[in-house]
Amino acid sequence: MGVEYIYFVQTNTLDRRNRTLTIEAHNESFSSRVVIHEKCRYSVHPENSDWTCFEQTASLDVKSFFGFESNVEKIAMKQYSQNISKGKEIIEYFIEELRKEGMTWVPRWQEPEPSPSSKPKLTITHADKMGNDSGEDSERERCSTGESQEMQLGASAYNILAVEKVNLSDENNKVEAEYIKRCLGDLTPLQESRLIQLKKWVAELQKGKVPSDTCLLRFLRARDFNIEKAREMLSHSLIWRKKNQIDKTMNQYQAPQVLQDYFPGGWHHQDKESRPLYLLRLGQMDVKGLVKSVGEEGLLKHTLHICEEGLRLTEEATATQGRPITTWTLLVDLEGLNMRHLWRPGIRTLLKIIEIVEANYPETMSCVLIIRAPRVFPILWTLVSTFIDDNTRSKFLFYGGNDYQGTGGLVDYMPKENIPDFLGGECKTIVQEGGLVPKSMYQPGEDVDPARHHLPLSDQSIYRSISLARGQVHEVMIQIEETGAVICWDFDVMKNDVCFSVLRTRIPLTPRPDPPQSPSGAMGVIDAVMGSDDQHRSAIDKTWREGHDYFRVEPQLVCHDGESIQGSHVTSHTGTYLLQWRYHESTQHTSPLDIIDSITAPKAKIMFYYETLSSADYRGSMTSLQSCQSGFSSLSSNTNKSATSSCPSR
């Protein structure tokens, strides 16, 4: 926060009768922007009264952080996870201090004789070492406390003692040993107990409709068999599936033709443990082309279909092999990965898809093999890894260059005869090679509007589509309220040529109202061509002088048919800025016949996206890159030029 101290208010409650200690704290500093509420609870272990359970939960609510509230929450979650071990160090420190004082045993609290005037006291004493009857028990408490220490962000905590305890000696609650061995794998008695508890709770909630034991185990494993955290995670997932009609959507799903032709991923035999194997040639993926062709929702649906297909294949493998196979393996080939993959809208889409998959398909992957990682990969990994669960992140294995070949490489994870030919193996694969998506397959902005789908990833469409005839101009008016803010843009020229400029006016402008419609519902053809309507006329008055009334803050750029342009500008003044696109004409025409020619002349068409970042957000953002034209390795001949930018080096 940039200050030396942050003040918190803490409340400690010791319940001697129920043998619990609860510590709650919330911040007093910066509470108008960020509210942090933390709760720690010590309680008696439900199966061994000589052990102490320690639960730590926290909620973080970012009220205002310059439009990056969600990102800040996830970064804070990661930081909190890293710092949580300090709590264990503090506990160990005070236990050691008590030992130095000769205190290795504390008698259990006894109910005092009833007295009309007696009242419970809320005080903290050395009795917070409850449940320990000897020095050995004290040591056991310390180890148990450290091992069971967990945290949960953004969700309410449950009382673990409120869960009905399952008696495993009851024949009705036993899980058949043969069934466990064949379908679920090795489970300890405690894990089996937690599975039965979760299954019983879901049955009551779902009115008899219970997910499979394999599904329940995935959520339990994702939360280290903490029954309450698994129950909460599963509850959110079931609500999500019902709200978005996932089962119905996936049953009816059919991949669009553009994904069938240009999505470089597919299932490919099995790994050495007979788990399904999925190949993804990420380095050959045209992320921008796919987003502009099927939208964020199209990529999300395709990803969910892959996850559902993976679950189905693991069930088939379990039945075929006669042993539990509950996960699948992902092999990601990064050959061809370059800076174009750091395209900001693409990264945003990727992070949202990861968030949804992590929350609803936990513990479905056995490992992720990353091969042929180029030098740019650490940048992409830095951006993405923060949003991946720690358990999942630990399953990633990385190979740079040709390290994946030979001993210690892919042969350790997949049969030699299954290594695909594009990785030096002999096995043919039907996985598409990817490549540039033809711009003819791009959809207008309104056709990829997420509001028309059941799985909203964002509140508005990423791209807008406009057409320009001769003499027409289209402008986006942006009001800048702080110097140092960054204007970012990204657009594709779909047809003909356009001129692009970034302008600043000396005096602030107000947005124009929508023009009134004519009785026929359309403008006259001549007026539209000559740019008489406000939507195709510049806000720069014809009497204004450049350098006095308005300023060109970026040099004019001529953009040709088929080019993709990305750029950014660091503002040095407050006021009105204009992103301007004009129909480009190579020569000036003055003949009256030009008016007639312009009626039938083909229009220019662009798809564009823009956003404004505050100065504070830009300084910490790796995705706010200097202007550059996007490329696709050596496959694109239109993307080797350089766009201009006034971005300073940072």
Side-chain angles (χ1 to χ4, degrees), residues 157-213:
Y158 292 94
N159 182 352
I160 194 170
L161 299 181
V163 180
E164 181 179 352
K165 189 174 180 180
V166 175
N167 184 4
L168 291 180
S169 63
D170 188 346
E171 292 296 329
N172 295 327
N173 286 331
K174 283 187 176 181
V175 181
E176 185 181 352
E178 180 62 27
Y179 164 73
I180 293 177
K181 181 179 179 180
R182 180 169 47 87
C183 298
L184 303 181
D186 294 330
L187 296 178
T188 66
L190 178 60
Q191 292 172 344
E192 186 178 331
S193 170
R194 298 289 167 83
L195 173 60
I196 295 173
Q197 292 179 53
L198 185 60
K199 189 173 184 178
K200 182 176 181 181
W201 173 81
V202 175
E204 295 173 353
L205 180 69
Q206 300 288 100
K207 298 180 180 179
K209 298 179 181 179
V210 183
S212 66
D213 290 340

Side-chain angles (χ1 to χ4, degrees), residues 33 67 114 134-135 159 176 185 189 212 251 283 295 322 337 351 375 382 393 437 454 459 501 517 540 617:
R33 287 194 176 274
S134 67
N159 182 352
E176 185 181 352
S212 66
N251 288 335
L337 189 79
L351 295 180
R375 291 183 178 181
T382 300
R393 198 185 309 131
V437 177
H454 296 293
D459 297 330
S501 300
Q517 291 291 328
I540 304 296
D617 293 335

Side-chain angles (χ1 to χ4, degrees), residues 489 500-503 551-557 568-570 627 644-647:
W489 58 84
F500 175 71
S501 300
V502 183
L503 310 174
F551 308 89
R552 194 178 301 273
V553 298
E554 292 283 347
Q556 180 171 284
L557 185 66
S568 57
H569 174 78
V570 182
S627 296
T644 57
S645 171
S646 62
C647 284

Side-chain angles (χ1 to χ4, degrees), residues 218 236-248 250 308 311 360-361:
R218 288 195 291 108
H236 288 313
S237 181
L238 293 175
I239 293 173
W240 172 80
R241 294 186 72 89
K242 182 176 181 180
K243 176 181 177 182
N244 296 291
Q245 304 179 24
I246 298 299
D247 294 332
K248 178 181 178 181
M250 292 296 101
E308 293 287 337
L311 295 178
N360 299 284
Y361 297 92

